[in-house]
Amino acid sequence: MKIQFKALFGRFDYSIELKEDGLTIITGPNGFGKSTILDSIYQLYKKEKGIPFFLNLDFEEVIFLISGEKQLKITKKAGALVINDKTNYSVNLKNIKKYLGNDSFFNRYYNKNFDKKFEDRKTLDEVFNYVSLIERYSKKEVTQKNNIKFVINVLKEFSKELGKVFYIREQRLVSEEFDSFDESRLKDEIKELPKKFKLLLDRNSSEYSSKSNELDSSYPIRLFNNKEAITSKYEFNQKIELMTEKFQKLNKFDLSRIQDLSNLEFKEEFSKALKIYFDDFDEKYQIYENFINQLELFTDIINEKLNFKEIAISREEGIFIQDTDFTGKQISLSQLSSGEKQEIILFYKLIFETPENTLLLIDEPEISLHIAWQKKFMDDLYKIIKFKKLNVIVATHSPQIINNHWENQIDLGELYGKKFD
């Protein structure tokens, strides 16, 4: 993907091409547009809801290019947006707000209650004047709507080519949510985290139980029809060893409390039943496998950085902090330092909320993090890039965040003043 800005903030010409290994790091002084570049990509993903962002942004032209073929060009002219040089299909702030707000003259009068609007009319002249007014304005409204629909369709098509986009902003500890009355409130993300983990655990356990019930209900029939068997003590011991490793992972994250089977001995008369038992367990374990990999990656990354304490997972608590120095007491997530909270929330979003095969945008991951943690961030991020097949753009002020990945850096300060490609 390539992004070209002309006269961003009336000043900056940029040409930015994403790195091939899945990680692009954008740096530069304050006010050079690092966050704005991330925002512009995210607003494309939002399709028509992103149009007001570009209408309010100070720029002359931006070009988004995917795979050298799919191109979207947005030009700002006289307060309106022109898409792909189609000057007859521009949108401005006024008409897009009317469209998105569903508050056009056309919508207000041409609706299912049209006839009711004549009930209070006292003279025939008033009725004729009313109809004439509707017809006059509706033609203009239809033209505007067709115009806006063209722009929106272009954005939707390009958004499909762009694919999934996930944005982790610099403000991570507090988020805004809306109730059924469309009233907002601020939400403390660290306090919400145990609830989120309990939901993850419950959802995976429910899927596991459903698969178990399905297999258990067909077990007798499959046993009578089964012609395969565990053929030797060696094969049996191998299966037991693999199962024991998986049991330990299930127990570690409180996903199951299955007893240890390592002391069982092989008996040939049970070889057919054992074959089905091992196969069923492997099929059921697959329900948990990706989730366990996520939990291991998350706890390994976080626990490596915590001092005198560690993260633990349980069905009852969801996620909690345990003191590892003598007492073993439980510590509230709210008692953690700002840096510890930032690290936990950031990697929770990266590992559990970011979809696979996604373009991921991260703004200022260094906030509140100690320099030692900043230096480890990119190496940890690469693990997640590989695990989830991500393409990532990071905007940062911190050279420590870059650490030994300077080949992935694009510095806006260096680009400033260069000719537009």
Side-chain angles (χ1 to χ4, degrees), residues 92 119 153 157 162 168 170 180 190 201 217 236 242 255 273 278 299-300 317 341 368 393-394 421:
N92 57 42
E119 290 176 1
N153 286 335
E157 287 301 313
L162 184 64
I168 301 179
E170 77 284 0
S180 57
I190 203 72
L201 290 162
S217 65
F236 172 81
L242 288 172
L255 293 168
F278 287 132
T299 53
D300 287 350
E317 302 287 343
K341 291 175 184 177
S368 297
I393 308 175
V394 176
D421 291 343

Side-chain angles (χ1 to χ4, degrees), residues 318-357:
I319 180 175
F320 62 97
I321 306 296
Q322 190 167 355
D323 190 334
T324 58
D325 191 14
F326 306 119
T327 64
K329 68 179 180 180
Q330 190 169 321
I331 303 168
S332 168
L333 289 169
S334 298
Q335 292 179 295
L336 296 175
S337 71
S338 176
E340 290 169 329
K341 291 175 184 177
Q342 287 279 0
E343 188 83 344
I344 289 170
I345 292 296
L346 176 56
F347 280 99
Y348 170 80
K349 289 182 177 293
L350 286 169
I351 294 170
F352 294 100
E353 291 190 347
T354 306
E356 292 185 358
N357 299 299

Side-chain angles (χ1 to χ4, degrees), residues 128-139:
F128 284 138
N129 288 337
Y130 183 74
V131 172
S132 176
L133 187 66
I134 291 174
E135 289 176 347
R136 203 163 59 245
Y137 275 87
S138 65
K139 290 178 182 178

Side-chain angles (χ1 to χ4, degrees), residues 1 3 16 18 22-26 34-46 53-54 64 162-172 346 349-350 353-355 357-365 377-378 381 385 390-396:
M1 182 177 183
I3 308 156
I16 299 168
L18 304 193
L23 175 64
T24 303
I25 307 168
I26 298 178
K34 297 185 298 299
S35 298
T36 300
I37 290 168
L38 298 190
D39 274 329
S40 68
I41 297 169
Y42 185 63
Q43 297 302 327
L44 285 183
Y45 174 68
K46 292 172 67 177
F53 169 84
F54 290 101
F64 300 92
L162 184 64
K164 292 178 289 188
V165 179
F166 191 77
Y167 195 179
I168 301 179
R169 299 180 183 274
E170 77 284 0
Q171 178 54 268
R172 293 180 279 272
L346 176 56
K349 289 182 177 293
L350 286 169
E353 291 190 347
T354 306
N357 299 299
T358 291
L359 176 58
L360 172 64
L361 313 172
I362 310 175
D363 199 8
E364 298 188 30
F377 176 76
M378 287 302 176
L381 182 59
I385 288 173
L390 305 176
N391 195 1
V392 182
I393 308 175
V394 176
T396 180

